[in-house]
Amino acid sequence: MNNYGESNGDLNVHEKQVEGHDHGENGDGSGNGVILGIDGGTTSTVCVCIPFFPSSNTLPKPLHVLGRAVSGCSNHNSVGETAARDTLEEVMAEALSKSGSNWSTVHAVCLGVSGVNHPTDQERILNWLREIFPSHVKLYVQNDAVAALASGTMGKLHGCVLIAGTGCISYGFAEDGREARASGAGPVLGDWGSGYGIAAKALTAVIRAHDGRGPQTLLTNKILKALCLSSPDELIGWTYADPSWARIAALVPEVVSCAEACDQVATKILVDAVQDLALSVKAVVQRLSLCGEDGNGFFPVVMVGGVLEANRTWDIGKEVVKCIQEQFPEAHPIRPQVEPAVGAALLAWNFLMKESTEDCHS
């Protein structure tokens, strides 16, 4: 994870996947066409191109990633429909170009994008894709949390995923196909465990300390120094000059540093965030009965996002897992070995194989 405002997977693993890849006739399957997987988060959009293996029930290990591209935000709620659509087309074109492929070689596309919260959102994006791809191309649109879950379960939709980057969401699937979500409604509606939520509370604490409504805190000097500001009064102008979610969320490391220095205000902000993130997982688990009737059933919890991958002394992810396991001791945390864009590509491949099997039996 490059920073607290991103929710992409392990880049080192990705580089291992890419290293030594072949093209066309060298056994990597690209001669049979390709599959595109897209992870569209609030901060960035990643597209990967993998080979299509039409006659195999299992994918090769390691999975070859033929091409990878990164662009800006593709959440239509954040940047508008035109910008979101342009970003998607741009990032797919670049990934195809890097892979040595073109639009005509695509068999399937799976797009996992934040902001897909209703069937109307799915249909809107499907219409965009239908204007780009020929009619034979299979198109799948999911919330980005679904792609993140698939990145931890290698394409299987079962268990729960918790994403905590710029925003946050918990999403789960039961084995019978039922699904549920919690949080993910954006900063206005209170994703307080997210990077944005943590940093926004910290900025508020600095203002409250400055005007006498709250206790003094190390956050004041830490944040002012990070932003090259001289007074808390200047925070107002800085905040509203560009109130983008990712820009605010980038301050999370300063909050963690203050908590590690035993600042009570910063510590409370992180403790509250841990409780909120764990609560969103618990809500999904209970609605889907993932834990079994006795509450002790095994289920995976895929952990994705910069907030959960800090690797600091004050480890938010570790504390969230501890809080979840107090109620569900058999919850099994998973750190994905591939990034969510690859998870989206794996979903597309699984969907294709399932449809192919159903066609054979019909």
Side-chain angles (χ1 to χ4, degrees):
M1 197 65 51
N2 295 329
N3 57 50
Y4 284 81
E6 296 184 355
S7 59
N8 299 328
D10 186 331
L11 190 55
N12 291 329
V13 172
H14 168 76
E15 289 170 345
K16 292 176 184 176
Q17 294 167 330
V18 174
E19 183 179 359
H21 74 259
D22 304 312
H23 285 266
E25 303 304 322
N26 291 328
D28 69 351
S30 57
N32 296 313
V34 298
I35 291 174
L36 294 179
I38 302 110
D39 170 41
T42 307
T43 304
S44 63
T45 302
V46 179
C47 178
V48 299
C49 180
I50 69 169
F52 174 52
F53 295 88
S55 59
S56 175
N57 291 324
T58 59
L59 289 169
K61 294 182 181 179
L63 176 66
H64 293 300
V65 175
L66 304 174
R68 181 180 188 272
V70 183
S71 191
C73 175
S74 55
N75 183 331
H76 62 274
N77 292 326
S78 301
V79 297
E81 290 192 14
T82 300
R85 178 174 175 167
D86 289 347
T87 295
L88 288 175
E89 189 162 358
E90 171 190 315
V91 77
M92 289 188 293
E94 185 179 348
L96 284 170
S97 176
K98 287 182 175 179
S99 72
S101 306
N102 55 56
W103 299 101
S104 66
T105 64
V106 178
H107 278 266
V109 180
C110 183
L111 171 60
V113 63
S114 61
V116 174
N117 303 310
H118 189 271
T120 56
D121 299 322
Q122 288 180 307
E123 192 59 32
R124 178 189 296 111
I125 297 172
L126 281 170
N127 286 335
W128 300 349
L129 296 177
R130 289 184 186 117
E131 293 181 12
I132 298 172
F133 292 98
S135 59
H136 71 273
V137 178
K138 297 292 186 178
L139 304 172
Y140 310 99
V141 175
Q142 304 280 350
N143 187 281
D144 64 333
V146 180
L149 174 62
S151 73
T153 61
M154 298 307 288
K156 182 180 180 182
L157 291 182
H158 173 247
C160 185
V161 63
L162 174 64
I163 301 178
T166 300
C168 65
I169 187 173
S170 178
Y171 210 109
F173 281 83
E175 290 187 336
D176 60 8
R178 288 178 299 120
E179 56 191 280
R181 61 176 284 174
S183 297
V188 175
L189 298 178
D191 286 348
W192 297 121
S194 68
Y196 178 93
I198 291 169
K201 281 190 173 183
L203 290 171
T204 301
V206 171
I207 295 298
R208 291 177 65 88
H210 179 60
D211 64 20
R213 289 178 295 143
Q216 295 301 306
T217 169
L218 297 176
L219 289 167
T220 299
N221 289 335
K222 194 72 173 176
I223 289 177
L224 291 180
K225 183 177 179 180
L227 300 179
C228 299
L229 302 177
S230 58
S231 166
D233 289 325
E234 296 178 34
L235 276 178
I236 300 171
W238 178 87
T239 300
Y240 295 109
D242 176 14
S244 65
W245 304 345
R247 179 169 173 260
I248 302 294
L251 292 171
V252 169
E254 315 306 329
V255 185
V256 175
S257 293
C258 290
E260 290 175 342
C262 300
D263 181 83
Q264 291 185 357
V265 175
T267 299
K268 186 177 187 309
I269 290 172
L270 295 189
V271 169
D272 288 347
V274 167
Q275 294 292 329
D276 205 64
L277 291 171
L279 185 61
S280 67
V281 172
K282 292 176 181 178
V284 168
V285 171
Q286 289 173 328
R287 286 167 62 190
L288 296 177
S289 300
L290 294 178
C291 55
E293 293 183 1
D294 60 358
N296 293 317
F298 173 91
F299 61 91
V301 180
V302 179
M303 310 282 284
V304 177
V307 169
L308 303 174
E309 298 178 0
N311 295 320
R312 302 280 293 270
T313 303
W314 215 113
D315 191 324
I316 298 173
K318 182 179 179 180
E319 294 301 317
V320 170
V321 170
K322 186 187 302 182
C323 189
I324 294 169
Q325 290 180 334
E326 286 177 358
Q327 184 170 349
F328 306 117
E330 293 303 312
H332 177 61
I334 295 176
R335 303 287 183 172
Q337 295 302 301
V338 298
E339 62 181 332
V342 176
L346 292 172
L347 274 179
W349 186 82
N350 281 340
F351 289 151
L352 276 177
M353 293 301 100
K354 181 179 179 181
E355 290 174 10
S356 176
T357 300
E358 291 173 349
D359 289 343
C360 289
H361 292 151
S362 61

